[in-house]
Amino acid sequence: MPIKVLSSLDVARTQWYHFKAIIVAGMGLFTDAYDLFCIAPVMKMISHVYYNGDSINTAVLSTSYAIALLGTATGQLVFGYLGDRVGRRRVYGLCLIIMILSSFGCGFSVCTTRRSCVMVSLGFFRFFLGLGIGGDYPLSATIMSEFANKRTRGAFIAAVFSMQGLGILVSSAVTMAVCVAFKRSGGGLEVDAAAPTEADLAWRLILMIGALPAALTFYWRMLMPETARYTALVENNIVQAAKDMQRVMSRSHISDEATTDPPPPPPPPSYKLFSRCFFRLHGRDLFAASFNWFLVDIVFYTSNLLLSHIFSHYSKKPSTAENVYDAAFEVAELGAIIAACSTIPGYWFTVYFIDKIGRVKIQIMGFFFMAVIYLVAGIPYSWYWSKHEHNNKGFMVLYGLVFFFCNFGPNTTTFIIPAEHFPARFRSTCHGISGAAGKLGAIVGTVGFLWATKKMESDDKNQIYPQVNRMRIAFLILGGVCIAGILVTYFFTKETMGRSLEENEHDQDNNAESEDEPQIVDGQSSVSTLLQTR
């Protein structure tokens, strides 16, 4: 007999609960982006408060960026695994609590006079913040994929991920607002004035505000039921799965027959995670999802990091002509412009086209256009900045298109694809593995390019400086990374558009030819075989 509740979910019309789930799950991604991307202007403020306006030592700066990313990768692995073992809903709330407490912890970083003490304390709390952020990635994607119908599943998951763009924009807006408020309350600052005492409170306030959106959605997240697919396919409780869905979705799409006592469900397929059978069935998908995410995060995080360095160096305003608030404001303003003009439109183009064009085509297209832009911007890099002013503007527009095609492309699709390929009992774990590979790419990109673009010619050996030759090489490398993404996507990534999650699993499991891990147990067919009879 087919599992009716899952069939009902696949064909259910779009209704209020879907949008509610998008908002509740999306606020986690909103908080993730706020916390991860507000650090650039915050580090500008810290450099004025604790380093007298000098550039922060490259080792300290790279560690500050990498520590949250390392925590995120760890959280994706740990909480992704727990999401499959304990349940999506239970772990979901724990991740949110960690994010809330660690955001406040970042603001309350101990010490106010010794910069080493401040940086160590900030790094400690940002690692735990990364743990919560990392857990939110696989759980948000998995929960949304398991609630959605197969016709609009891609758009729903993309809509959840698009909240990341809004989080980037709000983090910039909050930073600018805090800077303006503190500057005005202090009666203004002279250019060469030392950072006031209040500035130490300003950057802490920016970090603590990141806890608010997570705290506001905690209640609603706790009210969400466990997903029907986890309850039915992992816990083998079909009756409870149907009852949970009846609580939140239109009753007309959840058959009453699904709530009657069915025959005992058959055991799931016998192969285990990381078994030989698993790698034969899903190894290709896991490689493609992980490696593509690794590649795109190298590009995405490096591009964000280099953005402020490129434009601040070539700004008409000299670096010495700014105070603590102006320095942070300028970085946040640039981030807000890119988010509003490129990042957010890219996300919503994906939401609109993902279930019309398909995941694979959008991912290849995004990688392709990013590769073209990096090559066009990198090869004649010096020409853009050595000629007339209109060349500078052209470069800014060109660079902004990187963020558009990154989000109308692989940055979004790499979040979607792992949530659709794998069996329910491995889905959150495999998404966490893919995401952790991405954060490893982010660490490679940020730390590698921070050191690669470090200025060595002047007395200040720790100043980050976009030297022309090094920047050209950096752009060409990023273009090569995008070309690698095209090849991996084309040869290894399979399309999932318009198919149910169980159909994706069934096509894999039905072809298993394992002698020591059979798919027929005690004469009973697997869950995936049952689902074929729909």
Side-chain angles (χ1 to χ4, degrees):
M1 68 173 254
I3 299 181
K4 296 181 182 296
V5 65
L6 303 187
S7 302
S8 300
L9 285 174
D10 281 335
V11 299
R13 62 179 175 81
T14 301
Q15 50 196 280
W16 163 243
Y17 186 74
H18 288 120
F19 294 106
K20 181 180 176 181
I22 289 172
I23 294 172
V24 174
M27 287 308 293
L29 273 297
F30 175 96
T31 305
D32 299 348
Y34 181 101
D35 291 326
L36 287 177
F37 289 93
C38 71
I39 192 63
V42 163
M43 292 305 292
K44 275 284 188 180
M45 300 184 76
I46 290 176
S47 70
H48 279 73
V49 175
Y50 292 102
Y51 291 82
N52 300 318
D54 296 329
S55 296
I56 300 177
N57 181 283
T58 303
V60 175
L61 188 63
S62 58
T63 302
S64 299
Y65 282 111
I67 192 70
L69 296 174
L70 180 62
T72 302
T74 305
Q76 287 172 320
L77 293 174
V78 172
F79 292 113
Y81 174 76
L82 291 177
D84 287 330
R85 293 298 300 271
V86 180
R88 284 74 158 118
R89 176 181 174 275
R90 295 176 185 174
V91 183
Y92 211 27
L94 177 60
C95 293
L96 208 61
I97 293 174
I98 293 174
M99 289 165 61
I100 295 170
L101 296 179
S102 55
S103 292
F104 279 113
C106 289
F108 285 110
S109 296
V110 296
C111 306
T112 57
T113 55
R114 296 177 56 191
R115 66 190 187 189
S116 59
C117 183
V118 170
M119 299 307 294
V120 169
S121 176
L122 180 60
F124 174 82
F125 285 111
R126 281 190 64 79
F127 177 82
F128 281 95
L129 176 63
L131 285 178
I133 290 174
D136 203 72
Y137 271 76
L139 294 170
S140 292
T142 300
I143 286 172
M144 196 67 248
S145 70
E146 292 181 346
F147 274 129
N149 61 61
K150 64 181 181 180
R151 181 175 59 85
T152 59
R153 184 178 62 241
F156 287 166
I157 304 174
V160 169
F161 195 61
S162 71
M163 297 294 284
Q164 187 180 76
L166 186 59
I168 296 172
L169 180 62
V170 171
S171 72
S172 297
V174 168
T175 300
M176 290 189 290
V178 170
C179 289
V180 170
F182 273 75
K183 185 176 179 180
R184 290 182 177 176
S185 65
L189 285 175
E190 298 296 331
V191 168
D192 58 352
T197 305
E198 296 80 13
D200 190 53
L201 176 61
W203 68 265
R204 297 172 186 271
L205 180 61
I206 293 170
L207 292 175
M208 288 190 290
I209 289 175
L212 295 181
L216 291 174
T217 57
F218 178 78
Y219 173 76
W220 298 107
R221 186 171 285 196
M222 290 298 93
L223 289 181
M224 294 178 70
E226 184 57 84
T227 69
R229 285 183 162 92
Y230 182 85
T231 304
L233 299 177
V234 180
E235 296 183 337
N236 294 323
N237 191 339
I238 299 173
V239 174
Q240 186 61 45
K243 291 179 179 179
D244 287 342
M245 289 302 95
Q246 283 183 341
R247 285 170 44 203
V248 296
M249 301 183 74
S250 172
R251 195 176 173 85
S252 62
H253 289 283
I254 306 297
S255 172
D256 287 336
E257 297 177 23
T259 64
T260 61
D261 292 336
S270 57
Y271 67 88
K272 298 180 180 181
L273 182 67
F274 299 146
S275 64
R276 185 170 58 183
C277 188
F278 170 85
F279 281 112
R280 182 167 64 252
L281 296 174
H282 306 291
R284 170 180 167 175
D285 295 331
L286 186 58
F287 165 77
S290 301
F291 198 59
N292 278 320
W293 207 330
F294 173 84
L295 295 173
V296 73
D297 270 11
I298 290 178
V299 175
F300 183 68
Y301 282 86
T302 303
S303 298
N304 275 285
L305 181 65
L306 294 178
L307 179 64
S308 60
H309 297 313
I310 292 171
F311 294 124
S312 63
H313 175 72
Y314 292 104
S315 174
K316 294 180 179 179
K317 183 178 179 180
S319 59
T320 56
E322 58 183 14
N323 57 52
V324 57
Y325 301 124
D326 291 336
F329 186 95
E330 184 177 315
V331 174
E333 182 182 37
L334 184 59
I337 292 172
I338 292 295
C341 297
S342 297
T343 303
I344 293 177
Y347 283 123
W348 285 100
F349 265 69
T350 304
V351 172
Y352 183 79
F353 287 107
I354 189 71
D355 289 313
K356 296 179 173 63
I357 299 177
R359 289 79 163 133
V360 172
K361 290 181 180 178
I362 288 179
Q363 188 160 298
I364 291 176
M365 177 201 68
F367 272 130
F368 172 78
F369 280 109
M370 283 195 296
V372 170
I373 293 169
Y374 279 121
L375 295 178
V376 171
I379 295 174
Y381 182 81
S382 58
W383 176 82
Y384 288 105
W385 300 103
S386 61
K387 300 294 181 181
H388 302 291
E389 183 178 344
H390 70 274
N391 294 339
N392 299 4
K393 296 178 180 178
F395 182 87
M396 294 178 188
V397 173
L398 196 62
Y399 197 76
L401 288 175
V402 168
F403 295 93
F404 175 81
F405 284 109
C406 188
N407 294 297
F408 183 32
N411 191 44
T412 304
T413 54
T414 51
F415 181 80
I416 297 171
I417 289 172
E420 299 180 316
H421 267 312
F422 302 101
R425 67 191 186 282
F426 304 140
R427 187 168 293 133
S428 179
T429 301
C430 290
H431 195 286
I433 294 171
S434 303
K439 291 303 170 282
L440 177 61
I443 293 172
V444 169
T446 54
V447 175
F449 280 94
L450 274 172
W451 283 92
T453 56
K454 184 175 71 169
K455 185 178 179 180
M456 299 298 295
E457 291 78 12
S458 71
D459 293 335
D460 182 4
K461 297 184 181 299
N462 291 310
Q463 182 182 358
I464 303 302
Y465 181 85
Q467 187 183 27
V468 170
N469 290 334
R470 293 184 179 183
M471 287 302 299
R472 181 182 289 114
I473 293 173
F475 273 57
L476 296 180
I477 291 175
L478 291 175
V481 170
C482 293
I483 293 173
I486 295 173
L487 297 177
V488 173
T489 302
Y490 181 80
F491 288 107
F492 295 99
T493 304
K494 290 177 287 188
E495 184 58 70
T496 56
M497 178 178 64
R499 298 165 57 83
S500 74
L501 299 177
E502 289 69 45
E503 286 172 337
N504 292 329
E505 177 183 354
H506 165 72
D507 284 350
Q508 305 281 0
D509 290 348
N510 196 46
N511 295 325
E513 297 176 0
S514 174
E515 295 180 359
D516 57 342
E517 297 168 313
Q519 295 302 296
I520 304 298
V521 181
D522 297 333
Q524 291 181 310
S525 61
S526 67
V527 171
S528 59
T529 305
L530 283 175
L531 294 172
Q532 186 186 21
T533 62
R534 277 187 283 177

